[in-house]
Amino acid sequence: MSVAFPPGGPSGPPAAPERRLLLVHAHPDDESITTGATMAKYAAEGAHVTLVTCTLGEEGEVIPASLAHLAPDRDDALGPYRIGELAAAMRELGVTDHRFLGGPGRYRDSGMMGAPQNERPGCFWQADVDEAGELLADVLREVRPQVLVTYGPDGGYGHPDHIQAHRVAMRAAELATRAGADGAAPHTVARVYWNCVPRPVLDEGFARLREAADEGEIFPFPGFTGETGFARPDDVPGVVEDRNEVDVTVDATAYVKAKAAAMAAHETQVSVRSTARGEFFFALSNGLGQPLNGTEFFQRAQGAYGAPDSGHGTDGPAGTHGARDLFAGVRE
Ligand SMILES: [Zn+2]
């Protein structure tokens, strides 16, 4: 398929002005944790939201004891299980177009930096960036998103699959500007963003968790063994030092419940709770509590896709927060 999107076909109404947002994430759960509220908001507002996940997350640590047998050193059945978790998460977010890069299982989770799994043929860290980029470029030419979201160059926190997701997404944006091998028309994305979170926002979130604990909220979470408590801001992916480094702030607090539900759908990876005040928080397999925010932050990509033109911070109130809409300044 080349230019037959959106539905309506060649004889239907012109593709514009439909808004199309495509997000590239490394593992199932990353989309909900870092961009879930944004995805739910744009989907609810009628944008076409496409998620491309690069691996099945086969190397994840399993939280529920009842599912521990799925782990890679036991049944090695976590990947297929996480396909189901991701599908459930997408239902919570109202996102119907979700795909795995090259199809489910094409690239395997690489595990943490330095792990022997990084050396395994077929893992995403070992993928050829041009080859994986071309698979993603095919999706870009088909869906024709104006906005592409992924991670910054360090993947947000140095995980090999997140670094690779960044490289592949940036390469795909370049490759898509040429026609596809199947004759699909070239496509240029108007904006590329890297998701991030300003340290002051995290500090406020952790302060709220500590207040909740002072008020008698139970930390650690029930169900975790060993020592638990709070994560630190440095444990969170994509931290930037201050709000001035943020180009777009998406206030999707109206969708925080959908985000929390989507995160909870990834039950092997994430535990979600709410405090007596009704604020959500979560923990990964380390059992350390983290704030769960409905406002999400994006940096405009540097390099070829970062050149300022008409859209840099022109939408929304002036000031350090910049734009409020990922489509700000995008011609429709
Ligand atoms: Zn991940």
Side-chain angles (χ1 to χ4, degrees):
M1 184 160 68
S2 56
V3 293
F5 190 89
S11 61
E18 189 175 345
R19 293 175 155 204
R20 296 178 299 278
L21 167 65
L22 187 143
L23 305 97
V24 178
H25 281 288
H27 311 107
D29 78 0
D30 292 317
E31 78 298 325
S32 299
I33 296 170
T34 59
T35 56
T38 298
M39 292 170 73
K41 176 178 190 285
Y42 281 104
E45 290 174 355
H48 186 88
V49 178
T50 302
L51 169 68
V52 179
T53 308
C54 298
T55 76
L56 301 184
E58 295 94 331
E59 298 294 325
E61 290 177 33
V62 177
I63 295 173
S66 60
L67 295 171
H69 62 92
L70 297 171
D73 57 352
R74 293 182 60 186
D75 298 348
D76 194 17
L78 190 52
Y81 193 86
R82 291 184 74 176
I83 292 176
E85 291 184 335
L86 182 60
M90 293 303 96
R91 285 193 291 275
E92 299 291 352
L93 299 181
V95 171
T96 54
D97 184 5
H98 54 103
R99 311 159 185 227
F100 290 95
L101 183 64
R106 170 67 184 260
Y107 295 110
R108 187 176 167 111
D109 188 348
S110 310
M112 292 298 187
M113 192 60 89
Q117 291 91 327
N118 299 173
E119 309 296 327
R120 182 158 42 192
C123 81
F124 192 45
W125 186 236
Q126 295 294 331
D128 181 275
V129 171
D130 282 348
E131 185 182 296
E134 195 57 62
L135 291 171
L136 181 58
D138 283 340
V139 180
L140 295 177
R141 294 186 198 100
E142 176 199 333
V143 176
R144 313 189 78 75
Q146 296 98 338
V147 177
L148 171 63
V149 169
T150 188
Y151 316 115
D154 71 345
Y157 69 116
H159 189 295
D161 291 325
H162 287 240
I163 294 170
Q164 192 77 318
H166 162 85
R167 291 176 180 164
V168 168
M170 300 307 286
R171 183 67 180 132
E174 289 172 4
L175 291 169
T177 62
R178 304 173 205 155
D182 61 353
H187 177 66
T188 301
V189 292
R191 294 285 185 278
V192 179
Y193 290 107
W194 301 335
N195 83 270
C196 65
V197 57
R199 188 177 295 274
V201 170
L202 280 177
D203 289 342
E204 287 163 23
F206 280 109
R208 287 199 306 274
L209 286 192
R210 290 179 199 290
E211 273 172 38
D214 290 345
E215 290 170 6
E217 201 69 49
I218 295 172
F219 296 92
F221 298 169
F224 279 96
T225 54
E227 193 178 336
T228 66
F230 300 105
R232 296 168 305 126
D234 288 330
D235 298 331
V236 177
V239 177
V240 295
E241 287 310 313
D242 69 71
R243 292 171 191 263
N244 291 324
E245 295 175 65
V246 173
D247 292 302
V248 180
T249 299
V250 176
D251 179 353
T253 46
Y255 300 91
V256 71
K257 274 189 184 163
K259 175 176 178 170
M263 288 170 64
H266 294 285
E267 64 166 334
T268 62
Q269 306 299 307
V270 186
S271 292
V272 178
R273 302 281 188 277
S274 66
T275 65
R277 293 185 195 175
E279 283 187 305
F280 292 103
F281 62 99
F282 74 101
L284 303 174
S285 61
N286 59 15
L288 302 176
Q290 299 187 37
L292 192 164
N293 288 321
T295 301
E296 294 167 343
F297 304 88
F298 301 88
Q299 254 183 335
R300 192 140 168 216
Q302 306 300 305
Y305 281 92
D309 51 24
S310 61
H312 196 87
T314 54
D315 157 272
T320 55
H321 296 254
R324 298 280 179 180
D325 179 6
L326 291 169
F327 292 85
V330 174
R331 275 195 307 275
E332 295 185 24

